[in-house]
Amino acid sequence: MRLMSGGQIDTVMQEDRLFPPSAEFSGASVIGSMAVYEALYAEAKANPEKFWGDLAREELHWFKPFTKTLSWKSPNAEWFADGTTNVSYNCLDAHLSTHRRNKAAILWEGEPGDTRTLTYQQLHHEVCKFANVLKSLGLEKGDVATIYMPMVPELAIAMLACARIGVVHSVVFGGFSAEAIADRNNDARAKLVITADGGWRRGKLLTLKATVDEALAKSPTVKHCVVYERAGNKPAMTAGRDLWWHEQMAQVNANCPAPELESETSLFILYTSGSTGKPKGIRHTAAGYNLYVKKTFQWVFDYRDNDIYWCTADCGWITGHSYIVYGPLSAGATSLMYEGAPNWPAEDRFWEIIEKYRVNILYTAPTAIRAFIKWGDHHVDKHDLSSLRLLGSVGEGINPEAWMWYYNKIGGGRCPIVDTWWQTETGGIMMSPLPGAIATKPGSCTKPLPGIIPTILDENCQPVPQGQGGMLCMSHPWPGMLRGIWGDDERYRLQYWSRVPGQYLTGDNARQDKDGYYWIMGRIDDVINVSGHRLSTIEVESALVSHPLVAEAAAVGRPDDLKGQAVAVFVTLKGGEATEALRAELKAHVRKEIGALAVPDEIRFTNTLPKTRSGKIMRRLLRDIAAGKETLQDTSTLEDYTVLAKIRSDEE
Ligand code: ATP
Ligand code: MG
């Protein structure tokens, strides 16, 4: 390993295990071989506009066909701009004249065990009615509605009803504080809040309406609040402002033909999870996003008409938007939605749900997988998981050892894993194995999807030599890309389009291995610079997680007079004692796994790591702790506010 002049990221991790899909799996896939993938990729790369234009004509319903596929004046893209379509039509109406009319669109299970099924026909009925409710409250195309709900079908109904009439939804995760809701209401100038009286989480009733009341005291633009009755806990209702969902629904009919909406109609705003700073309202628009999530859902999940598909994310995150609601429904899939926690009433709840519904495709996050490993195999062993055909991961890099556990223990060694790399900003999955075609490697998101053209650049914006890490960028616009940051064009330009002229800066580092596989190396801001060597957080963390006693690890750089930065790691254990001997053993383990350079200078044992509400490790906060500094950063998206104090006191 040596320092390269362009400041690339050094790689220290070696991972050579390769898992090709079975002949049976490939045989039933639409993209069933590397040759098919490569041909499709080459076709798209040769002429991305033709590729996307043809797909858009095939996959979406057009009231008025578009004549121009892309207008691109960097950094502003318009896709299919002179055509008109309707996302809600594509997700619902389009299926009503097919054999899918009576198919389950949403299978739902509440945390207490209550269940509901909505067919495409039934979902259409509810969505039309709620769209009429929105209209009766005076909402019009371009107005913003905040949705702050538990994971109940009405959350999806509210999203689709907004989409139907061009109201822009802004879903705020149902665990956020009043302050966070008010900030988002004000930033988006929301006119309406849609909420519920409560929702269940780990056996506790979350009183959402009470939190909304507090937020509304500081949200002058909001005129009304519609409240869905989930818990029967009789919240305070402010006359003139607050309205019951069921009472409003009783006053409207289900006649709401989908209006023609221009392709670039704003579909939603979603504030990113805030792993790295102040939340920003990412804006997506109708047609391009719709096409992108439909196609990527079909490609990556290899969806077959009888499959039961379960994405365990919350609709408060982009994953829920794209791969619980818009992607699966526009593809006519059956999407399972679960309200509660994975460890309620017991730590086998996910496996129980998979057995009960005979789930075929499971899409979850590394934070959950690491928790399952910690909770123990006996929870898994109690259940029949033989219905599973395909597994997915999203949100963070997955440590190779966690990948192996997922593959063997949950997938029974027979299910491909799609490690999907993407962002709120990208709208949908950008890099992932196509499971019937691309052999997987634990920890690699493998290859870009057709139409996606990544580049890896050094600090001078020059392509790095193959094998070296650098900034991951996208050199060509794609239909699912964000169209801006709500109300802040300058921040949009600065954040994504100024560092590398003409290219989209993802903010992550990546490298490509000798087989052309991509490996995400963590965030650009998280790189640890030890004596001029630039190390990736995920590689140090994965080396630690491969030790049998380590459950989770987070690596950060700590200022060091001699080396510039020293490697500080925060480690949670599965078992064993936090001793000096274990510290020495972990250092030796890292030295053996990835070499002397990456050996942590400091190992801190802790019971918890700071995470976003979506379960991502917030390394920026750990940097302050490692440096012994007070945190003056934005912590509004932190899952547990007490965690920073706890970690500091773990040290004493
Ligand atoms: P913010 O941008 O506000 O700091 P965030 O980046 O965590 O928040 P998201 O858009 O939800 O918000 O997450 C996208 C990021 O998550 C990616 O840029 C990447 O760092 C990480 N990520 C997602 N999926 C993967 C994956 N499969 N492998 C590695 N990293 C991933
Ligand atoms: Mg981000």
Side-chain angles (χ1 to χ4, degrees):
M1 219 164 20
R2 65 201 169 83
L3 181 65
M4 309 291 287
S5 57
Q8 297 97 337
I9 317 300
D10 294 308
T11 182
V12 286
M13 195 163 84
Q14 274 296 325
E15 176 58 69
D16 295 322
R17 289 171 286 193
L18 191 69
F19 296 86
S22 67
E24 189 196 342
F25 192 103
S26 295
S29 297
V30 183
I31 303 178
S33 72
M34 204 57 186
V36 176
Y37 160 75
E38 276 170 352
L40 196 63
Y41 189 81
E43 181 202 329
K45 188 170 176 181
N47 192 343
E49 285 181 50
K50 178 170 186 322
F51 178 75
W52 291 118
D54 289 348
L55 283 178
R57 275 180 282 270
E58 281 163 32
E59 301 286 349
L60 302 181
H61 173 79
W62 295 97
F63 297 104
K64 175 169 164 258
F66 59 93
T67 59
K68 184 153 176 46
T69 298
L70 170 67
S71 346
W72 174 234
K73 285 193 210 83
S74 175
N76 299 113
E78 290 186 347
W79 286 89
F80 323 120
D82 62 347
T84 59
T85 183
N86 184 298
V87 177
S88 163
Y89 184 100
N90 292 320
C91 289
L92 300 169
D93 307 56
H95 305 301
L96 299 187
S97 55
T98 73
H99 67 283
R100 299 199 182 96
R101 179 163 83 98
N102 294 321
K103 178 177 174 173
I106 294 178
L107 295 174
W108 176 82
E109 180 154 316
E111 196 185 71
D114 39 346
T115 61
R116 284 165 65 193
T117 301
L118 285 159
T119 65
Y120 275 93
Q121 182 78 67
Q122 290 170 318
L123 186 60
H124 176 263
H125 181 84
E126 298 296 314
V127 168
C128 287
K129 284 184 75 174
F130 197 67
N132 282 338
V133 170
L134 294 173
K135 285 193 240 170
S136 74
L137 296 175
L139 272 90
E140 290 174 359
K141 184 178 148 196
D143 289 341
V144 177
T146 297
I147 303 179
Y148 181 74
M149 292 186 93
M151 280 288 285
V152 292
E154 279 65 22
L155 168 48
I157 292 167
M159 290 165 72
L160 290 159
C162 289
R164 195 164 187 89
I165 58 170
V167 167
V168 186
H169 61 69
S170 163
V171 181
V172 177
F173 171 61
F176 274 148
S177 65
E179 201 67 43
I181 306 168
D183 282 351
R184 287 158 176 72
N185 281 342
N186 292 329
D187 188 70
R189 309 189 60 74
K191 287 198 173 160
L192 176 74
V193 173
I194 305 164
T195 189
D197 55 351
W200 298 96
R201 187 80 191 173
R202 229 161 266 140
K204 256 180 49 193
L205 184 64
L206 302 179
T207 51
L208 300 178
K209 174 62 166 56
T211 310
V212 167
D213 284 340
E214 220 182 293
L216 290 187
K218 291 176 251 165
S219 308
T221 60
V222 175
K223 299 287 169 268
H224 289 289
C225 175
V226 175
V227 186
Y228 174 70
E229 187 172 29
R230 157 90 181 112
N233 65 337
K234 305 211 169 16
M237 297 288 280
T238 301
R241 186 193 73 186
D242 299 348
L243 306 158
W244 283 109
W245 176 291
H246 56 270
E247 288 177 4
Q248 296 302 305
M249 290 289 263
Q251 288 170 25
V252 294
N253 63 31
N255 181 21
C256 180
E260 289 188 30
L261 297 174
E262 294 81 28
S263 292
E264 287 293 339
T265 304
S266 291
L267 178 63
F268 64 83
I269 315 169
L270 185 60
Y271 290 85
T272 56
S273 68
S275 310
T276 52
K278 184 178 176 293
K280 41 194 182 290
I282 303 300
R283 183 170 72 90
H284 282 286
T285 60
Y289 171 84
N290 195 170
L291 174 67
Y292 196 68
V293 295
K294 178 176 181 185
K295 279 322 292 177
T296 53
F297 174 78
Q298 291 170 330
W299 285 332
V300 173
F301 298 104
D302 189 39
Y303 186 79
R304 303 170 195 174
D305 212 15
N306 275 323
D307 281 339
I308 309 261
Y309 160 86
W310 182 23
C311 168
T312 69
D314 191 284
C315 285
W317 317 124
I318 189 70
T319 306
H321 282 59
S322 302
Y323 298 110
I324 294 178
V325 180
Y326 292 116
L329 296 181
S330 46
T334 296
S335 182
L336 176 69
M337 196 172 171
Y338 167 59
E339 177 189 31
N343 54 352
W344 191 267
E347 286 156 346
D348 66 342
R349 184 63 184 271
F350 274 21
W351 321 127
E352 184 189 281
I353 290 175
I354 289 169
E355 180 172 9
K356 175 174 169 188
Y357 292 89
R358 310 301 297 156
V359 170
N360 305 107
I361 304 169
L362 173 69
Y363 191 29
T364 192
T367 183
I369 296 167
R370 292 188 303 254
F372 299 141
I373 297 173
K374 194 172 175 182
W375 293 339
D377 289 5
H378 57 288
H379 295 297
V380 184
D381 295 335
K382 281 196 275 188
H383 297 281
D384 174 8
L385 305 183
S386 62
S387 59
L388 287 172
R389 185 167 66 74
L390 179 65
L391 303 173
S393 171
V394 62
E396 292 179 291
I398 176 165
N399 310 113
E401 288 321 307
W403 193 103
M404 288 306 304
W405 181 89
Y406 195 31
Y407 186 76
N408 288 318
K409 193 72 209 166
I410 305 307
R414 96 192 151 264
C415 307
I417 296 180
V418 289
D419 174 359
T420 62
W421 176 85
W422 59 296
Q423 311 177 294
T424 306
E425 293 88 339
T426 67
I429 297 166
M430 301 288 277
M431 295 205 268
S432 165
L434 295 181
I438 301 176
T440 53
K441 296 183 188 184
S444 168
C445 59
T446 75
K447 301 267 179 174
L449 298 187
I452 298 307
I453 307 168
T455 52
I456 300 178
L457 306 176
D458 67 18
E459 291 190 324
N460 305 316
C461 303
Q462 297 306 309
V464 298
Q466 194 167 48
Q468 285 290 324
M471 302 183 287
L472 177 64
C473 297
M474 297 293 150
S475 64
H476 196 278
W478 64 101
M481 67 189 272
L482 77 165
R483 298 299 194 268
I485 293 179
W486 192 258
D488 201 343
D489 293 343
E490 187 55 12
R491 189 172 176 199
Y492 169 65
R493 200 185 57 76
L494 279 177
Q495 179 117 19
Y496 304 107
W497 301 96
S498 65
R499 177 79 181 76
V500 182
Q503 298 208 23
Y504 170 78
L505 180 76
T506 67
D508 287 344
N509 284 314
R511 74 183 163 92
Q512 240 186 322
D513 69 15
K514 60 183 190 320
D515 301 322
Y517 278 47
Y518 286 82
W519 297 77
I520 303 297
M521 301 178 82
R523 317 228 177 206
I524 292 175
D525 297 342
D526 287 343
V527 168
I528 306 172
N529 196 329
V530 182
S531 308
H533 293 281
R534 303 175 77 239
L535 296 175
S536 127
T537 48
I538 183 88
E539 295 193 345
V540 179
E541 292 161 6
S542 292
L544 285 158
V545 170
S546 73
H547 187 280
L549 290 178
V550 174
E552 279 191 310
V556 299
R558 185 198 68 194
D560 183 276
D561 289 343
L562 282 179
K563 300 193 278 189
Q565 283 189 321
V567 180
V569 299
F570 294 78
V571 169
T572 65
L573 296 178
K574 282 184 218 167
E577 297 248 335
T579 58
E580 274 313 308
L582 183 57
R583 272 203 182 90
E585 190 179 320
L586 291 180
K587 288 186 183 180
H589 181 76
V590 173
R591 178 172 288 114
K592 175 170 72 66
E593 292 288 307
I594 57 175
L597 188 66
V599 171
D601 297 271
E602 182 181 348
I603 297 181
R604 299 194 183 196
F605 294 111
T606 170
N607 291 320
T608 39
L609 292 173
K611 292 190 182 167
T612 62
R613 308 283 173 133
S614 54
K616 297 172 194 235
I617 298 170
M618 292 172 88
R619 292 180 191 76
R620 65 181 169 93
L621 300 181
L622 290 172
R623 271 203 295 276
D624 284 351
I625 295 182
K629 282 200 312 205
E630 272 307 303
T631 288
L632 302 170
Q633 306 183 53
D634 184 281
T635 54
S636 63
T637 58
L638 190 60
E639 182 188 28
D640 170 3
Y641 296 107
T642 63
V643 69
L644 296 182
K646 278 187 203 146
I647 296 173
R648 290 183 200 275
S649 69
D650 281 339
E651 280 309 293
E652 284 151 17

